[in-house]
Amino acid sequence: MKPSLLSRFIPGALLGSALLLSQPLYAQKIIDTKTLFTFHKSPKAELASRYKTYKVEYDFGKRPLTPEQAPLLKGLERTEGSADLLLKVKVRSFYIAKRNLLQAGSKEAPTFHYTITYRANCGYELIDLKNNTLLASHRSYGDYEDTPDFKSVGALNDYVDNTYLPKKGDYLLRGVLRRIDYDLNPHDFPIEVVVNTVEGGIPAYGEISKNVAVLSAMLTQPRPDKQQLAPVIATWEKYLLSANWNDKKSEINKPVANALIENLCVAYLLTED
């Protein structure tokens, strides 16, 4: 029997049921809501109230580097003498490990630059002097980058041989000082995020959206209790693990799973996880 003749032999009600079954099993509507909130970033190391003072020690090797200003640890007093904490700042042993010459521009007006691979030993350590314990640290060991373009290889080599490394030292030092401020001081950042509710006559959708309401309320609080997010995260992770990415008719299909991922990103951000 030809498929085109099938409808002649199925009563109207049964035909309607057959058409219904061809649609997704779970009616769903995902509503995304943009929210602007203030993200409170905590310091990498919680500096206990017993810490009152800190001093800074620099290690620049043989390079004549000069910080624009000493690193600041908010709430603590910097001193040159006895202190509770020692902040070691290191920017040394940076050198060019490899240079790759590249040419651009036209044949009549070529330009030249290097892709430079450099090595460095830079970072910081924050040490509790009384207990001789490391509270926080960061290290970087090099990277690669392109130089500016020059009209001749001679001018390019002059820049690399005489200007590049001094400028790189200053740049690396500023980077370490920025990292210290980011890691060790509290910061507030305005951030826009998206949270998703899922509408539909399914208990799972109701539970997902109920927890969205909890998260949305926390985004409006100046200092939310992050422990309240633990059951919210657990609920969304549970449903995400049951997602069927290839079946549009499944209860937790691809659109719902992506909505859960976006919600979890916001929750993880809020908990600094």
Side-chain angles (χ1 to χ4, degrees), residues 87 112 159 195 206:
L87 179 60
F112 305 90
Y159 167 81
V195 291

Side-chain angles (χ1 to χ4, degrees), residues 158-218:
D158 181 67
Y159 167 81
V160 172
D161 294 338
N162 299 296
T163 305
Y164 176 79
L165 284 178
K167 290 183 65 175
K168 176 55 62 178
D170 292 334
Y171 174 83
L172 292 173
L173 176 56
R174 290 195 299 270
V176 172
L177 296 179
R178 285 194 301 268
R179 185 75 191 207
I180 289 171
D181 177 60
Y182 179 81
D183 281 358
L184 303 183
N185 290 316
H187 292 279
D188 289 342
F189 300 108
I191 297 177
E192 185 179 69
V193 295
V194 174
V195 291
N196 301 281
T197 54
V198 184
E199 292 185 352
I202 306 299
Y205 298 166
E207 190 175 6
I208 290 170
S209 298
K210 179 181 177 181
N211 284 283
V212 169
V214 176
L215 174 63
S216 298
M218 294 182 68

Side-chain angles (χ1 to χ4, degrees), residues 11-183:
L14 292 179
L15 179 58
S17 299
L19 292 174
L20 180 63
L21 290 174
S22 68
Q23 303 300 316
L25 183 59
Y26 300 101
Q28 60 188 222
K29 181 180 180 181
I30 297 172
I31 301 175
D32 57 273
T33 303
K34 293 182 179 180
T35 302
L36 183 65
F37 83 107
T38 300
F39 169 54
H40 305 286
K41 180 197 165 294
S42 302
K44 189 175 182 178
E46 292 291 345
L47 301 183
S49 58
R50 69 176 181 273
Y51 300 128
K52 305 297 183 184
T53 59
Y54 71 102
K55 61 181 178 180
V56 182
E57 179 182 290
Y58 298 103
D59 182 2
F60 298 148
K62 297 180 180 180
R63 296 284 180 178
L65 301 179
T66 303
E68 294 179 356
Q69 61 182 28
L72 171 68
L73 298 184
K74 295 178 181 178
L76 300 179
E77 178 185 354
R78 184 170 59 87
T79 179
E80 301 295 335
S82 178
D84 299 319
L85 299 173
L86 172 61
L87 179 60
K88 290 185 175 182
V89 180
K90 179 185 290 187
V91 179
R92 59 173 300 150
S93 304
F94 50 96
Y95 61 94
I96 297 173
K98 183 180 179 181
R99 60 177 81 179
N100 181 30
L101 180 63
L102 297 170
Q103 180 176 335
S106 64
K107 184 177 181 180
E108 295 76 17
T111 60
F112 305 90
H113 73 272
Y114 282 120
T115 296
I116 287 182
T117 301
Y118 67 89
R119 297 287 179 259
N121 181 3
C122 52
Y124 74 85
E125 291 181 346
L126 182 65
I127 301 169
D128 180 328
L129 288 173
K130 181 178 180 180
N131 300 309
N132 194 29
T133 54
L134 182 65
L135 301 179
S137 65
H138 179 77
R139 280 285 180 272
S140 62
Y141 297 98
D143 204 344
Y144 66 91
E145 64 182 356
D146 290 334
T147 68
D149 289 326
F150 290 84
K151 294 182 179 180
S152 70
V153 176
L156 171 61
N157 285 332
D158 181 67
Y159 167 81
V160 172
D161 294 338
N162 299 296
T163 305
Y164 176 79
L165 284 178
K167 290 183 65 175
K168 176 55 62 178
D170 292 334
Y171 174 83
L172 292 173
L173 176 56
R174 290 195 299 270
V176 172
L177 296 179
R178 285 194 301 268
R179 185 75 191 207
I180 289 171
D181 177 60
Y182 179 81
D183 281 358

